[in-house]
Amino acid sequence: QFVLQLYAPLAPRVTLTRNDWRVLGVVVVSLFAIVVLAWRVFVARQRLARSVAARTGHVRRRMRALTQQRDEARLLEAALVETSDNERSKLGRELHDNTGQLLTAARMLADHLAVSATDRQRGVAEQLSTVLGDALDSVRISARRMAPEVALERGLKPALERLVAQGTGSGIRMQVVGSEPGVDAESRLHLYRIAQEAVSNALRHGAANRIAIELGEERDWLSIRDNGSGFDPETVESGVGLRSLRQRAGLIGARLSIGRVGQETVVTVTQEVG
């Protein structure tokens, strides 16, 4: 009525019934409820936006932390692998230079004894010279396996062919096929170590007598197939040896996989894309 009295000079007098006032009251209350609801929705959306922003920031910080941890883990793995390789190479050089020289000197003394000894002693001296010669050959082979850097200077394929030549025998057939992958010296060393470990596992654990090493110029850098007795997937996945192989593959931007194809165990190293 107050509002109507204000506008009375400008508009004709309006007479509202009790029912009209009830309807007007419902409309006013509804409008007020709509305004309050809209305000609450606005406040809730603002609160949700702040919560989402905070959560997003937390997730991003966590992702950055995980990325940093992953990078640090990769650097640590690389350092461990590099340290292991350096120690193996150092030991290989010591075997070749120190132990090899001592065995060579001992063999020369045995040969000298064989010349100056009596008939009875000559046979023992010659046998000693033969044993020392076998030990020297074994030491040189072990030294080359532990320090293959010199052999790798000529390429990965010649180094693997030499590895195969050293392991061929006693009914074991091994071959190297394919083309030299276009990788750097560090990658060649890791691929050589992977092949070396895979061949060793096939001979020691799988009792294989046929092993094929295939090289590739494209993404499939390395593949080792053997006809051994196979493996237990759970044991393989949790083994230290496989983790080391995967680390080596990861350090050169590749992925290592192992599985059974027919009657063969296949280890492959494939370059990652992207």
Side-chain angles (χ1 to χ4, degrees), residues 21-43:
W21 283 108
R22 290 176 180 176
V23 173
L24 183 60
V26 171
V27 171
V28 172
V29 171
S30 299
L31 291 175
F32 180 76
I34 291 173
V35 171
V36 172
L37 180 61
W39 173 255
R40 289 184 176 179
V41 170
F42 173 76
V43 172

Side-chain angles (χ1 to χ4, degrees), residues 157 160-161 163-164 174-178 191 195-196 199 211-215 221-225:
K157 189 173 183 179
L160 290 176
E161 289 174 340
L163 175 67
V164 165
M174 288 193 284
Q175 61 177 348
V176 181
V177 298
L191 289 174
Q196 185 182 38
V199 169
I211 301 175
I213 302 175
E214 183 175 355
L215 299 173
W221 285 341
L222 177 66
S223 175
I224 304 100
R225 295 174 174 267

